[in-house]
Amino acid sequence: MRKIAWYFWGGLALLSLLWLASNPAVLAGQPNFIAWRNVLNQYSGVLGMAVMSVAMLLAMRPTLAERPLGGLDKMYRLHKWLGIAALVLSLSHWLLAQAPKWLSALGLLGGGRPRRAPLQLPEGSLQQTFMGLRHAAEGVGEWAFYAAAVLMVLALLKRLPYRRFVQLHRLLPLAYLALVFHSVLLLKFDNWATPSGWLLALLMAGGSVAAILSLCRRYGGQPRTDGRIVALDYQPALKVLAVDVQLDPAWPGHKAGQFAFVTFHPGEGAHPFTLASAWQGDGCVRLLIKALGDYTAALPARLKTGDRIQLEGPYGCFTFDGARPRQIWISGGIGVTPFVARMQALAAAPAGQRIDFFHATSDYDAGVMQRLSQDAAAAGVDLHLLWQPRDGRLDAERLTRSVPDWRDADIWFCGPAAFGRQLRERLLALGLPAARFHQELFQMR
């Protein structure tokens, strides 16, 4: 989280400094409200299009950005922050554009809105062409703003079904391309010859390519591989469906802890699921799917052996990498999935690490817990099973009492976000370095 916060705020600060360096007269002040409005309108437009462009690029799931950002889950969190920033900046830009009109109507802007003096430009010059298209660009930008704002607000609504979220998200590239047209024509012409203009042009060019690829349903991430469901096992007490898949030879293999975007039904779109099995080179993978919504709850009835499906991946950096000989694993509910895969990998190839694994659950299935205990024994992992109605909640104090040398360990957490946040804050307060707490932010919207 700290890394993506640095990228987010650092990127905004860098672009702001470049813009100020390209417009040094701003620091000397402005003579009146309209002059300040024009300056802030340009600034909000530049920042808004920059963050929207980066968000569009990240939506392509570029593999080159995954490792620097700490995994696709962190990349998607940054994408969400950028989307919120774009919404706020776009709204500010629109309000600044409308302000003189509203203030004049209320009689608060003396003399009305001042008219621009016509520029004397060489016939046929690029700047003259831009000026001739300003009116069209203003109209296109206003309607594109309305569309983009509605789509971004809807995307933030967690109650919106995932299928509708995907469908609405596919319309955003159209609004973005319209806003690029608006920005190219309305940015102060001289700014295109400055470092901030060069950077914005580069970002919008990349964002435009990403938008076109998105409209064509093409992504810059990992390849897609077809597969066939060979077995299904539903555990009603846990509301978890285990899906065994035989993949085509194109699958590149994966590390324990990684996930894939899985398409069971094309009309629904791809959902992210952690791979619950270690890679053995035989093309077989297992998915564990918790009924957390209408679609996942319906999968036990909709899926059948022999169905063809598609996986895109693998993604993720929650791969238990680290030089420390001591690890502590913590999972809650379906967050057990990456640890199941890791235990299978350790059973086949021990890493020589001492590992304590705490799994907290509010649901109980004796058969599943027995298999988890067997996997832990085979991997040489010390398993601590906590059934909350019987054993109570897991907290930092209970963890540190159970593992006296916890300060020497890397801690890997996968489970409910609030649970992970509480543990992390308390452990950091007790002296754990932030870099040693690894958390999967498995929320892609």
Side-chain angles (χ1 to χ4, degrees):
M1 289 290 289
R2 181 176 295 182
K3 181 183 291 187
I4 60 174
W6 274 106
Y7 277 111
F8 179 77
W9 292 111
L12 290 177
L14 174 62
L15 189 59
S16 297
L17 289 173
L18 284 175
W19 187 82
L20 283 172
S22 303
N23 298 272
V26 173
L27 298 175
Q30 301 299 314
N32 53 47
F33 167 78
I34 290 296
W36 272 113
R37 171 260 185 194
N38 292 339
V39 166
L40 294 175
N41 204 34
Q42 287 281 307
Y43 175 62
S44 61
V46 167
L47 280 190
M49 286 308 301
V51 298
M52 206 177 297
S53 299
V54 177
M56 193 64 62
L57 288 165
L58 293 181
M60 290 292 99
R61 304 197 273 268
T63 53
L64 289 177
E66 190 174 9
R67 181 63 61 178
L69 290 174
L72 189 62
D73 58 321
K74 312 299 189 300
M75 192 189 303
Y76 267 54
R77 180 60 60 90
L78 178 57
H79 171 81
K80 180 178 179 179
W81 289 359
L82 290 168
I84 294 171
L87 179 60
V88 172
L89 289 164
S90 298
L91 180 60
S92 302
H93 182 76
W94 178 77
L95 290 172
L96 287 164
Q98 300 299 321
K101 190 187 308 180
W102 295 340
L103 293 174
S104 295
L106 293 170
L108 299 176
L109 188 61
R113 183 177 178 179
R115 296 182 179 275
R116 297 188 185 98
L119 292 176
Q120 300 299 320
L121 299 171
E123 190 68 29
S125 68
L126 180 61
Q127 188 172 2
Q128 185 189 55
T129 302
F130 277 27
M131 290 297 296
L133 292 171
R134 283 184 68 90
H135 182 70
E138 288 173 349
V140 168
E142 184 172 359
W143 285 103
F145 159 72
Y146 296 146
V150 170
L151 291 170
M152 285 188 281
V153 168
L154 289 174
L156 294 172
L157 298 178
K158 293 294 182 69
R159 291 188 177 184
L160 187 71
Y162 186 83
R163 178 179 70 259
R164 300 301 180 200
F165 165 79
V166 171
Q167 291 169 347
L168 290 173
H169 235 55
R170 288 171 180 164
L171 299 176
L172 269 172
L174 288 173
Y176 170 79
L177 290 172
L179 289 170
V180 168
F181 170 74
H182 168 86
S183 302
V184 167
L185 293 172
L186 295 183
L187 179 68
K188 187 178 177 182
F189 191 81
D190 292 344
N191 270 6
W192 288 118
T194 67
S196 65
W198 301 335
L199 178 58
L200 183 61
L202 181 63
L203 289 174
M204 290 200 302
S208 297
V209 171
I212 293 169
L213 289 174
S214 178
L215 291 170
C216 297
R217 309 286 177 86
R218 300 282 298 276
Y219 294 93
Q222 297 289 4
R224 298 176 182 179
T225 305
D226 292 331
R228 179 174 57 87
I229 296 176
V230 295
L232 295 164
D233 178 21
Y234 183 57
Q235 300 149 10
L238 303 179
K239 297 182 181 178
V240 170
L241 175 67
V243 183
D244 292 317
V245 182
Q246 179 66 52
L247 292 170
D248 292 348
W251 181 254
H254 60 272
K255 292 183 177 181
Q258 291 190 300
F259 65 92
F261 285 91
V262 184
T263 303
F264 292 114
H265 304 100
E268 175 68 22
H271 286 247
F273 295 114
T274 299
L275 300 164
S277 56
W279 178 244
Q280 306 292 342
D282 56 1
C284 293
V285 298
R286 166 168 276 213
L287 308 169
L288 293 180
I289 302 171
K290 176 80 170 181
L292 297 174
D294 292 342
Y295 180 68
T296 48
L299 285 178
R302 295 185 64 179
L303 296 181
K304 61 183 183 297
T305 302
D307 284 352
R308 298 291 294 179
I309 69 172
Q310 189 177 77
L311 272 69
E312 178 192 324
Y315 291 105
C317 296
F318 193 83
T319 52
F320 305 94
D321 298 326
R324 287 190 169 271
R326 192 76 170 92
Q327 290 192 351
I328 298 172
W329 301 348
I330 308 164
S331 68
I334 196 61
V336 71
T337 306
F339 302 105
V340 171
R342 180 59 175 168
M343 286 190 294
Q344 292 179 10
L346 289 176
Q353 294 167 316
R354 289 179 56 215
I355 300 169
D356 278 87
F357 178 22
F358 293 81
H359 176 58
T361 179
S362 57
D363 303 314
Y364 189 84
D365 182 289
V368 171
M369 297 306 158
Q370 183 179 5
R371 287 197 295 273
L372 195 61
S373 298
Q374 291 170 347
D375 287 343
V381 171
D382 291 328
L383 179 64
H384 307 258
L385 283 174
L386 288 91
W387 181 37
Q388 290 179 2
R390 181 192 65 195
D391 304 313
R393 295 180 58 82
L394 175 65
D395 56 22
E397 283 69 26
R398 187 169 188 168
L399 178 73
T400 55
R401 285 196 306 269
S402 301
V403 186
D405 59 345
W406 62 274
R407 286 185 176 84
D408 298 325
D410 277 322
I411 296 179
W412 297 81
F413 174 90
C414 187
F419 179 27
R421 184 168 56 251
Q422 292 168 3
L423 271 178
R424 182 181 185 276
E425 289 174 356
R426 184 58 183 147
L427 289 172
L428 264 57
L430 292 172
L432 182 75
R436 298 226 304 271
F437 191 96
H438 308 273
Q439 182 175 359
E440 184 85 291
L441 302 176
F442 211 70
Q443 294 178 334
M444 299 299 166
R445 55 179 291 192

